Amino acid sequence: MTQNSVLSALSAAGVSVWLDDLSRDRLISGNLQRLIDTRSVVGVTTNPSIFQHAISHSDAYTQQLAALAASGADADSAIRTIVTDDVRTACDVLRPQWAASDGVDGRVSIEVDPRLAYDTEATVNQALELWKIVDRPNLFIKIPATRAGLSAITGTVGQGISVNVTLIFSAERHRQVMDAYLTGLEAAHQAGRDLSEIHSVASLFVSRVDTEVDQRLEAIGTDTATALRGQAAIANARLAYAAYQEVFEGGTRYAALSNVGGRVQRPLWASTGVKNPAYPDTQYVTELVAPHTVSTIPEHTLESLADHGVIVGDAITGTVEQARTVLDEVGAAGVDLADVFAVLERDGVARFADSWHQLLDAYSTSAKTVEGAAGRGAPDR
């Protein structure tokens, strides 16, 4: 099979292409392998919403759900088993990409229970548990970038576990995430761990920023405000990349860790699917091309890129002042960006928690069905 030229150009420009989806159907059908072979995919990200959709829209899980229900497994342990089984299999599929990239790519991410987003200790404990259950070196544990999550990032990295930090919405929080990662590396080094085996990405959500900001700009309604629609997300991400360069390409703190094997924490662009049909359907990928980045891409956007995407090289370096101007103008128009980021973080955690609850409810319903069928089939006494 041959790789698509557009996705190959994206990879050549320094962007790792990761699929923002996982399901058992993809694994069984060979779809994931096809995307690796033809769309330059070298990683996979998951979240509770992705698994909720996968499990509720596929018969591939029916047999395992029934077996778990028949065994008396509670909802939390059953869903954990199903999810970790899929992630483990995907890790095995991507193992060659992990080996070929010295551990940088070939990664599969699994998220801690989103209900723990505000509990540091419980997050670290579950990160350790998931790391042991999946038992694959190319795993990423996803931890949300809440304030409690920052300490959990440090604690998890300090244990030698690779982390994908999720639900980052602002460049300011991104800086706090990088600091938490470096503190974790320092703790790992003091504990005698091999820093070269610890990897991390910082996932900055993109399209959701425009969705929230655009809504507020439209509510303001002035010509100046409406003219700014569709610009905030890309500007915000570009400032986050500039912060990455400052910390990892010019910072003395990281330089000291690099000398003992420490790896950079790459920026990852999440939520790259375009929500507003008025915008180009590939803009959150093509406008955020830069070396040492990751773009997590839903399959429909991946196919749009393959069909008509245009990659012209680094689209971020040299744009910092322009990006700052955009966000300054958005603020001057009346949008409270600090509130935007707080709302997005809160809503992001709530969405994932809601999806997790739906997963648990679906399993509980399945378990009751199995119990009912067993009862009907039981002999008369």
Side-chain angles (χ1 to χ4, degrees), residues 57-142:
H57 289 78
S58 172
D59 294 331
Y61 299 93
T62 303
Q63 186 174 352
Q64 187 177 22
L65 282 167
L68 288 165
S71 73
D74 65 81
D76 280 289
S77 62
I79 294 303
R80 183 166 57 248
T81 296
I82 291 168
V83 168
T84 53
D85 282 355
D86 278 4
V87 168
R88 187 182 303 108
T89 302
C91 282
D92 291 341
V93 172
L94 282 155
R95 189 70 173 258
Q97 285 67 39
W98 174 80
S101 64
D102 188 28
V104 173
D105 285 312
R107 296 276 172 175
V108 183
S109 298
I110 185 172
E111 191 146 352
V112 296
D113 185 333
R115 296 171 299 178
L116 307 178
Y118 304 108
D119 187 330
T120 297
E121 183 179 359
T123 295
V124 174
N125 289 340
Q126 190 173 93
L128 290 164
E129 179 185 23
L130 291 172
W131 185 258
K132 291 174 182 176
I133 291 172
V134 176
D135 192 27
R136 294 295 185 271
N138 51 330
L139 180 69
F140 264 142
I141 304 296
K142 290 181 80 173

Coordinates of all heavy atoms in Angstrom, one line a residue, residues 57-142:
H57 N -22.6 1.5 19.6 CA -22.9 1.4 18.2 C -22.3 0.2 17.5 O -22.2 0.1 16.3 CB -22.4 2.7 17.4 CG -23.2 3.9 17.8 ND1 -23.0 4.6 18.9 CD2 -24.2 4.5 17.1 CE1 -23.9 5.7 18.9 NE2 -24.6 5.6 17.9
S58 N -21.9 -0.8 18.3 CA -21.3 -2.0 17.7 C -21.7 -3.3 18.4 O -21.9 -3.3 19.6 CB -19.8 -1.8 17.7 OG -19.1 -3.0 17.3
D59 N -21.9 -4.3 17.6 CA -22.2 -5.6 18.1 C -20.9 -6.4 18.6 O -20.9 -7.5 19.1 CB -22.9 -6.5 17.1 CG -24.3 -5.9 16.8 OD1 -24.9 -5.3 17.7 OD2 -24.8 -6.1 15.7
A60 N -19.7 -5.8 18.3 CA -18.4 -6.4 18.5 C -18.2 -6.7 20.0 O -17.4 -7.5 20.4 CB -17.3 -5.6 17.9
Y61 N -18.9 -5.9 20.9 CA -18.7 -6.0 22.3 C -19.8 -6.9 23.0 O -19.6 -7.2 24.2 CB -18.8 -4.6 22.9 CG -17.7 -3.7 22.4 CD1 -17.9 -2.8 21.4 CD2 -16.4 -3.7 23.0 CE1 -17.0 -2.0 20.9 CE2 -15.4 -2.8 22.5 CZ -15.7 -2.0 21.5 OH -14.8 -1.1 21.0
T62 N -20.8 -7.4 22.2 CA -21.9 -8.0 22.8 C -21.5 -9.3 23.6 O -21.9 -9.5 24.8 CB -22.9 -8.4 21.8 OG1 -23.3 -7.2 21.1 CG2 -24.1 -9.1 22.4
Q63 N -20.7 -10.1 23.0 CA -20.3 -11.3 23.7 C -19.5 -11.1 24.9 O -19.7 -11.7 26.0 CB -19.4 -12.2 22.7 CG -19.1 -13.6 23.2 CD -18.4 -14.4 22.2 OE1 -18.3 -14.1 21.0 NE2 -17.9 -15.6 22.6
Q64 N -18.5 -10.1 24.9 CA -17.8 -9.9 26.1 C -18.6 -9.2 27.2 O -18.5 -9.5 28.4 CB -16.6 -9.0 25.8 CG -15.6 -8.8 27.0 CD -14.4 -7.9 26.6 OE1 -14.4 -7.2 25.7 NE2 -13.3 -8.1 27.4
L65 N -19.5 -8.3 26.8 CA -20.4 -7.7 27.8 C -21.3 -8.8 28.5 O -21.4 -8.8 29.7 CB -21.4 -6.7 27.1 CG -20.8 -5.3 26.7 CD1 -21.7 -4.6 25.7 CD2 -20.5 -4.5 28.0
A66 N -21.8 -9.7 27.7 CA -22.6 -10.8 28.3 C -21.7 -11.7 29.2 O -22.2 -12.1 30.3 CB -23.2 -11.7 27.2
A67 N -20.5 -12.0 28.8 CA -19.7 -12.8 29.6 C -19.3 -12.1 31.0 O -19.3 -12.7 32.0 CB -18.4 -13.2 28.9
L68 N -19.0 -10.8 30.9 CA -18.7 -10.1 32.1 C -19.9 -10.0 33.0 O -19.8 -10.1 34.2 CB -18.2 -8.7 31.7 CG -16.8 -8.6 31.1 CD1 -16.6 -7.3 30.4 CD2 -15.7 -8.9 32.2
A69 N -21.1 -9.8 32.4 CA -22.3 -9.7 33.2 C -22.6 -11.0 33.9 O -22.9 -11.1 35.1 CB -23.5 -9.3 32.3
A70 N -22.4 -12.1 33.1 CA -22.6 -13.5 33.7 C -21.7 -13.8 34.8 O -22.0 -14.5 35.7 CB -22.5 -14.5 32.6
S71 N -20.5 -13.2 34.8 CA -19.5 -13.5 35.8 C -19.7 -12.7 37.1 O -19.1 -12.8 38.1 CB -18.1 -13.1 35.3 OG -17.9 -11.7 35.2
G72 N -20.7 -11.7 37.0 CA -21.0 -10.9 38.1 C -20.1 -9.7 38.3 O -20.1 -9.0 39.3
A73 N -19.4 -9.3 37.2 CA -18.5 -8.1 37.3 C -19.3 -6.9 37.5 O -20.4 -6.7 36.8 CB -17.7 -8.0 36.0
D74 N -18.8 -6.0 38.3 CA -19.5 -4.7 38.5 C -19.2 -3.8 37.3 O -18.3 -4.1 36.5 CB -19.1 -4.0 39.8 CG -17.6 -3.6 39.8 OD1 -17.3 -2.6 39.2 OD2 -16.8 -4.4 40.4
A75 N -20.0 -2.7 37.2 CA -19.9 -1.9 36.0 C -18.6 -1.3 35.8 O -18.0 -1.3 34.6 CB -21.0 -0.8 36.0
D76 N -18.0 -0.8 36.8 CA -16.7 -0.1 36.7 C -15.6 -1.1 36.2 O -14.8 -0.8 35.3 CB -16.2 0.5 38.0 CG -16.9 1.9 38.2 OD1 -16.6 2.8 37.5 OD2 -17.8 1.9 39.1
S77 N -15.5 -2.2 36.8 CA -14.5 -3.2 36.4 C -14.8 -3.8 35.0 O -13.8 -4.0 34.3 CB -14.4 -4.3 37.4 OG -15.6 -5.1 37.5
A78 N -16.0 -3.9 34.7 CA -16.4 -4.5 33.3 C -15.9 -3.5 32.2 O -15.3 -3.9 31.3 CB -17.8 -4.8 33.2
I79 N -16.3 -2.2 32.4 CA -15.9 -1.2 31.4 C -14.4 -1.1 31.3 O -13.8 -0.9 30.2 CB -16.6 0.1 31.7 CG1 -18.1 0.0 31.6 CG2 -16.1 1.2 30.8 CD1 -18.6 -0.5 30.2
R80 N -13.8 -1.1 32.5 CA -12.3 -1.0 32.5 C -11.7 -2.2 31.7 O -10.7 -2.0 30.9 CB -11.8 -1.0 33.9 CG -10.3 -0.8 34.0 CD -9.8 -0.4 35.4 NE -10.2 -1.4 36.4 CZ -11.2 -1.2 37.3 NH1 -11.8 0.0 37.4 NH2 -11.5 -2.1 38.2
T81 N -12.2 -3.4 31.9 CA -11.7 -4.5 31.1 C -11.9 -4.4 29.6 O -11.0 -4.6 28.9 CB -12.5 -5.8 31.6 OG1 -12.2 -6.1 33.0 CG2 -12.0 -7.0 30.8
I82 N -13.1 -3.9 29.2 CA -13.4 -3.8 27.8 C -12.4 -2.7 27.2 O -11.8 -2.9 26.1 CB -14.8 -3.4 27.6 CG1 -15.7 -4.6 27.9 CG2 -15.1 -2.9 26.1 CD1 -17.2 -4.2 28.0
V83 N -12.3 -1.6 27.8 CA -11.5 -0.5 27.3 C -10.0 -0.9 27.3 O -9.4 -0.6 26.3 CB -11.7 0.8 28.2 CG1 -10.7 1.8 27.8 CG2 -13.1 1.3 28.0
T84 N -9.5 -1.5 28.3 CA -8.1 -1.8 28.4 C -7.8 -2.9 27.4 O -6.7 -3.0 26.8 CB -7.6 -2.2 29.8 OG1 -8.5 -3.3 30.3 CG2 -7.7 -1.0 30.7
D85 N -8.7 -3.8 27.1 CA -8.5 -4.8 26.1 C -8.3 -4.2 24.7 O -7.4 -4.6 23.9 CB -9.7 -5.8 26.0 CG -9.7 -6.8 27.1 OD1 -8.7 -6.8 27.9 OD2 -10.6 -7.6 27.2
D86 N -9.2 -3.2 24.3 CA -9.0 -2.6 23.1 C -7.7 -1.8 23.0 O -7.0 -1.8 21.9 CB -10.2 -1.6 22.8 CG -11.5 -2.3 22.3 OD1 -11.4 -3.5 22.2 OD2 -12.4 -1.6 22.0
V87 N -7.4 -1.1 24.0 CA -6.2 -0.3 24.0 C -4.9 -1.1 23.9 O -4.0 -0.8 23.2 CB -6.1 0.6 25.3 CG1 -4.7 1.3 25.5 CG2 -7.2 1.7 25.2
R88 N -4.9 -2.3 24.6 CA -3.8 -3.2 24.6 C -3.6 -3.7 23.1 O -2.5 -3.8 22.6 CB -4.0 -4.4 25.5 CG -2.8 -5.3 25.7 CD -3.1 -6.4 26.6 NE -3.5 -6.0 27.9 CZ -4.7 -6.1 28.4 NH1 -5.7 -6.6 27.6 NH2 -5.0 -5.7 29.6
T89 N -4.7 -4.1 22.5 CA -4.6 -4.6 21.1 C -4.1 -3.5 20.2 O -3.3 -3.8 19.3 CB -6.0 -5.1 20.7 OG1 -6.5 -6.1 21.5 CG2 -5.9 -5.6 19.2
A90 N -4.6 -2.3 20.4 CA -4.1 -1.2 19.5 C -2.7 -0.9 19.7 O -1.9 -0.6 18.8 CB -5.0 0.1 19.8
C91 N -2.2 -1.0 21.0 CA -0.8 -0.9 21.3 C 0.0 -1.9 20.5 O 1.1 -1.6 20.0 CB -0.5 -1.0 22.8 SG -0.9 0.4 23.8
D92 N -0.5 -3.1 20.4 CA 0.3 -4.1 19.7 C 0.3 -3.8 18.2 O 1.3 -4.1 17.5 CB -0.4 -5.5 19.9 CG -0.2 -6.0 21.4 OD1 0.7 -5.5 22.1 OD2 -1.0 -6.9 21.8
V93 N -0.8 -3.3 17.7 CA -0.8 -2.9 16.2 C 0.2 -1.9 15.9 O 0.9 -1.9 14.9 CB -2.3 -2.5 15.8 CG1 -2.3 -1.9 14.4 CG2 -3.3 -3.6 16.0
L94 N 0.3 -0.9 16.9 CA 1.2 0.2 16.6 C 2.6 0.0 17.2 O 3.5 0.9 17.1 CB 0.6 1.5 17.3 CG -0.5 2.1 16.5 CD1 -1.5 2.9 17.4 CD2 0.0 3.0 15.4
R95 N 2.9 -1.2 17.6 CA 4.2 -1.4 18.2 C 5.4 -1.2 17.2 O 6.4 -0.6 17.6 CB 4.3 -2.9 18.7 CG 5.5 -3.2 19.5 CD 5.6 -2.5 20.9 NE 6.7 -3.0 21.7 CZ 6.5 -3.9 22.7 NH1 5.3 -4.4 23.0 NH2 7.6 -4.3 23.4
P96 N 5.2 -1.5 15.9 CA 6.3 -1.2 15.0 C 6.6 0.2 14.8 O 7.8 0.6 14.7 CB 5.8 -1.8 13.6 CG 4.8 -2.9 14.0 CD 4.2 -2.3 15.3
Q97 N 5.6 1.1 14.9 CA 5.8 2.5 14.8 C 6.5 3.0 16.1 O 7.3 4.0 16.0 CB 4.5 3.3 14.6 CG 3.9 3.1 13.2 CD 3.4 1.7 12.9 OE1 2.9 1.0 13.7 NE2 3.6 1.3 11.6
W98 N 6.2 2.4 17.2 CA 6.8 2.8 18.4 C 8.3 2.5 18.4 O 9.2 3.3 18.7 CB 6.2 2.0 19.6 CG 6.8 2.2 20.9 CD1 6.7 3.2 21.8 CD2 7.7 1.3 21.6 NE1 7.4 3.0 22.9 CE2 8.1 1.8 22.8 CE3 8.2 0.0 21.2 CZ2 8.9 1.2 23.7 CZ3 9.1 -0.6 22.1 CH2 9.4 -0.1 23.3
A99 N 8.6 1.3 17.9 CA 10.0 0.9 17.8 C 10.8 1.7 16.8 O 12.0 2.1 17.0 CB 10.1 -0.6 17.4
A100 N 10.2 2.0 15.7 CA 10.9 2.7 14.6 C 11.2 4.2 15.0 O 12.1 4.8 14.5 CB 10.0 2.7 13.3
S101 N 10.4 4.7 15.9 CA 10.5 6.2 16.3 C 11.2 6.3 17.6 O 11.2 7.4 18.2 CB 9.1 6.8 16.4 OG 8.3 6.2 17.4
D102 N 11.8 5.3 18.2 CA 12.5 5.3 19.5 C 11.5 5.7 20.6 O 11.8 6.5 21.5 CB 13.7 6.3 19.4 CG 14.5 6.3 20.7 OD1 14.6 5.2 21.3 OD2 15.1 7.3 21.0
G103 N 10.3 5.2 20.4 CA 9.3 5.5 21.5 C 8.5 6.8 21.4 O 7.6 7.0 22.2
V104 N 8.8 7.6 20.4 CA 8.2 8.9 20.3 C 6.7 8.7 19.8 O 5.8 9.3 20.3 CB 8.9 9.8 19.3 CG1 8.1 11.1 19.1 CG2 10.3 10.1 19.9
D105 N 6.5 7.9 18.8 CA 5.2 7.6 18.3 C 4.8 6.2 18.5 O 5.4 5.5 19.4 CB 5.2 8.0 16.8 CG 5.2 9.5 16.5 OD1 4.4 10.2 17.2 OD2 6.0 9.9 15.7
G106 N 3.8 5.7 17.8 CA 3.3 4.4 18.0 C 2.6 4.3 19.3 O 2.4 3.2 20.0
R107 N 2.0 5.4 19.8 CA 1.4 5.5 21.1 C -0.1 5.4 21.0 O -0.8 5.8 20.1 CB 1.7 6.9 21.7 CG 3.2 7.1 22.0 CD 3.6 6.5 23.3 NE 5.0 6.4 23.5 CZ 5.6 6.0 24.7 NH1 4.8 5.6 25.7 NH2 6.9 6.0 24.8
V108 N -0.7 4.8 22.1 CA -2.1 4.7 22.3 C -2.5 5.3 23.7 O -1.8 4.9 24.6 CB -2.7 3.3 22.2 CG1 -4.2 3.3 22.3 CG2 -2.2 2.6 20.9
S109 N -3.4 6.2 23.7 CA -3.8 6.9 24.9 C -5.0 6.3 25.6 O -6.0 6.1 24.9 CB -4.0 8.4 24.7 OG -2.8 9.0 24.2
I110 N -5.0 6.2 26.9 CA -6.2 5.8 27.6 C -6.4 6.7 28.8 O -5.4 7.1 29.4 CB -6.1 4.3 28.1 CG1 -7.4 3.8 28.8 CG2 -4.9 4.2 29.1 CD1 -7.4 2.4 29.2
E111 N -7.6 7.1 29.0 CA -7.9 8.2 30.0 C -8.3 7.6 31.3 O -9.0 6.6 31.4 CB -9.0 9.1 29.5 CG -9.2 10.3 30.3 CD -9.7 11.5 29.4 OE1 -9.7 11.3 28.2 OE2 -10.0 12.5 30.0
V112 N -7.8 8.3 32.4 CA -8.3 7.9 33.7 C -9.8 8.2 33.8 O -10.3 9.1 33.1 CB -7.5 8.7 34.8 CG1 -6.0 8.3 34.8 CG2 -7.6 10.2 34.7
D113 N -10.4 7.6 34.7 CA -11.9 7.9 35.0 C -12.1 9.4 35.1 O -11.5 10.0 36.0 CB -12.3 7.1 36.3 CG -13.8 7.2 36.5 OD1 -14.4 8.2 36.1 OD2 -14.3 6.3 37.2
P114 N -12.9 10.0 34.3 CA -13.1 11.5 34.3 C -13.7 12.0 35.6 O -13.6 13.1 36.0 CB -14.0 11.8 33.1 CG -14.6 10.5 32.8 CD -13.7 9.4 33.2
R115 N -14.3 11.1 36.4 CA -14.9 11.4 37.6 C -13.8 11.8 38.7 O -14.1 12.3 39.8 CB -15.8 10.3 38.2 CG -17.0 10.1 37.3 CD -17.8 8.8 37.7 NE -17.0 7.6 37.6 CZ -17.4 6.4 38.0 NH1 -18.6 6.3 38.5 NH2 -16.6 5.4 37.9
L116 N -12.6 11.4 38.3 CA -11.4 11.7 39.3 C -10.7 13.0 38.9 O -9.6 13.2 39.5 CB -10.5 10.5 39.2 CG -11.1 9.1 39.5 CD1 -10.0 8.0 39.4 CD2 -11.8 9.0 40.8
A117 N -11.2 13.7 38.0 CA -10.5 14.9 37.5 C -10.1 15.9 38.5 O -9.1 16.7 38.3 CB -11.3 15.6 36.4
Y118 N -10.8 15.9 39.7 CA -10.5 16.9 40.7 C -9.9 16.2 42.0 O -9.9 16.8 43.0 CB -11.7 17.7 41.1 CG -12.3 18.4 39.9 CD1 -13.5 17.9 39.3 CD2 -11.7 19.4 39.2 CE1 -14.1 18.5 38.2 CE2 -12.2 20.1 38.1 CZ -13.4 19.6 37.6 OH -14.0 20.2 36.5
D119 N -9.4 15.0 41.8 CA -8.8 14.2 42.9 C -7.4 13.8 42.5 O -7.3 12.8 41.8 CB -9.7 13.1 43.2 CG -9.3 12.3 44.5 OD1 -8.1 12.3 44.8 OD2 -10.2 11.7 45.1
T120 N -6.4 14.4 43.0 CA -5.0 14.1 42.6 C -4.6 12.7 43.0 O -4.1 12.0 42.1 CB -4.1 15.1 43.3 OG1 -4.3 16.5 42.9 CG2 -2.6 14.8 43.0
E121 N -4.8 12.3 44.2 CA -4.3 11.0 44.7 C -5.0 9.9 43.9 O -4.4 8.9 43.5 CB -4.6 10.9 46.2 CG -4.0 9.6 46.7 CD -4.2 9.4 48.2 OE1 -4.8 10.4 48.9 OE2 -3.9 8.4 48.8
A122 N -6.3 10.0 43.8 CA -7.1 8.9 43.1 C -6.6 8.9 41.6 O -6.6 7.8 41.0 CB -8.6 9.2 43.1
T123 N -6.3 10.0 41.0 CA -5.9 10.0 39.6 C -4.5 9.3 39.4 O -4.4 8.4 38.6 CB -5.8 11.4 39.1 OG1 -7.1 12.0 39.0 CG2 -5.1 11.5 37.7
V124 N -3.6 9.6 40.3 CA -2.3 8.9 40.3 C -2.5 7.4 40.5 O -1.8 6.6 39.8 CB -1.3 9.5 41.3 CG1 0.0 8.7 41.4 CG2 -1.0 11.0 41.0
N125 N -3.3 7.0 41.5 CA -3.5 5.6 41.7 C -4.1 4.9 40.5 O -3.7 3.8 40.2 CB -4.4 5.4 43.0 CG -3.7 5.8 44.3 OD1 -2.5 5.9 44.3 ND2 -4.5 6.1 45.3
Q126 N -5.0 5.5 39.9 CA -5.6 4.8 38.7 C -4.7 4.8 37.5 O -4.6 3.9 36.8 CB -6.9 5.5 38.3 CG -7.6 4.6 37.3 CD -9.0 5.0 36.9 OE1 -9.2 5.8 36.0 NE2 -10.0 4.6 37.7
A127 N -3.8 5.9 37.4 CA -2.8 5.9 36.3 C -1.9 4.7 36.5 O -1.6 4.0 35.5 CB -2.0 7.2 36.4
L128 N -1.5 4.4 37.7 CA -0.6 3.3 38.0 C -1.3 2.0 37.7 O -0.7 1.1 37.1 CB -0.2 3.3 39.5 CG 0.8 4.4 39.9 CD1 0.9 4.5 41.4 CD2 2.2 4.1 39.3
E129 N -2.6 1.9 38.0 CA -3.4 0.7 37.8 C -3.5 0.4 36.3 O -3.3 -0.7 35.8 CB -4.8 0.9 38.5 CG -5.7 -0.3 38.3 CD -7.1 -0.1 38.8 OE1 -7.5 1.1 39.0 OE2 -7.8 -1.1 39.1
L130 N -3.9 1.5 35.5 CA -4.1 1.3 34.1 C -2.7 0.9 33.4 O -2.7 0.1 32.5 CB -4.6 2.6 33.5 CG -6.1 2.9 33.9 CD1 -6.4 4.3 33.4 CD2 -7.0 1.9 33.3
W131 N -1.7 1.5 33.9 CA -0.3 1.2 33.3 C 0.0 -0.3 33.5 O 0.5 -0.9 32.6 CB 0.7 2.1 34.0 CG 2.1 2.0 33.5 CD1 3.1 1.3 34.0 CD2 2.6 2.6 32.3 NE1 4.3 1.5 33.2 CE2 4.0 2.3 32.2 CE3 2.0 3.5 31.3 CZ2 4.8 2.7 31.1 CZ3 2.8 3.9 30.3 CH2 4.2 3.5 30.2
K132 N -0.4 -0.8 34.7 CA -0.1 -2.2 34.9 C -1.0 -3.1 34.2 O -0.6 -4.2 33.7 CB -0.2 -2.5 36.4 CG 0.9 -1.8 37.3 CD 0.7 -2.0 38.8 CE 1.8 -1.3 39.6 NZ 1.5 -1.4 41.0
I133 N -2.3 -2.7 34.1 CA -3.3 -3.6 33.4 C -3.0 -3.7 31.9 O -3.0 -4.8 31.3 CB -4.7 -3.1 33.6 CG1 -5.2 -3.2 35.1 CG2 -5.7 -3.8 32.7 CD1 -6.5 -2.5 35.4
V134 N -2.8 -2.6 31.2 CA -2.5 -2.6 29.8 C -1.1 -3.2 29.5 O -0.9 -4.0 28.6 CB -2.6 -1.2 29.2 CG1 -2.2 -1.2 27.7 CG2 -4.0 -0.6 29.3
D135 N -0.1 -2.9 30.4 CA 1.2 -3.5 30.3 C 1.8 -3.5 28.9 O 2.3 -4.5 28.4 CB 1.1 -5.0 30.8 CG 2.4 -5.7 31.0 OD1 3.4 -4.9 31.4 OD2 2.5 -6.9 30.9
R136 N 1.9 -2.3 28.4 CA 2.5 -2.1 27.1 C 3.4 -0.8 27.2 O 2.9 0.2 27.7 CB 1.5 -1.9 26.0 CG 0.7 -3.2 25.7 CD 1.6 -4.3 25.1 NE 0.8 -5.5 24.7 CZ 0.4 -6.5 25.5 NH1 0.8 -6.4 26.8 NH2 -0.3 -7.5 25.1
P137 N 4.6 -0.8 26.7 CA 5.5 0.3 26.8 C 5.1 1.5 26.0 O 5.5 2.7 26.2 CB 6.8 -0.2 26.3 CG 6.5 -1.3 25.4 CD 5.3 -1.9 26.0
N138 N 4.2 1.3 25.0 CA 3.8 2.4 24.1 C 2.4 3.0 24.5 O 1.7 3.5 23.7 CB 3.7 2.0 22.6 CG 3.0 0.7 22.3 OD1 2.9 -0.2 23.2 ND2 2.4 0.6 21.1
L139 N 2.1 2.8 25.8 CA 0.8 3.4 26.3 C 1.1 4.8 26.8 O 2.1 5.2 27.3 CB 0.4 2.5 27.5 CG -0.9 3.0 28.2 CD1 -2.1 2.8 27.3 CD2 -1.1 2.2 29.5
F140 N 0.1 5.7 26.6 CA 0.0 7.0 27.3 C -1.2 7.0 28.2 O -2.3 6.5 27.8 CB -0.2 8.1 26.3 CG 1.0 8.8 25.8 CD1 1.1 9.2 24.5 CD2 2.1 9.1 26.7 CE1 2.3 9.9 24.1 CE2 3.2 9.7 26.3 CZ 3.3 10.1 24.9
I141 N -1.0 7.4 29.5 CA -2.1 7.6 30.4 C -2.6 9.1 30.2 O -1.8 10.0 30.4 CB -1.7 7.3 31.8 CG1 -1.1 5.9 32.0 CG2 -2.9 7.6 32.8 CD1 -2.1 4.8 31.7
K142 N -3.9 9.3 30.0 CA -4.4 10.6 29.8 C -4.9 11.2 31.1 O -5.7 10.5 31.8 CB -5.5 10.6 28.8 CG -5.1 10.4 27.4 CD -6.3 10.5 26.4 CE -6.6 11.9 26.1 NZ -7.7 11.9 25.0

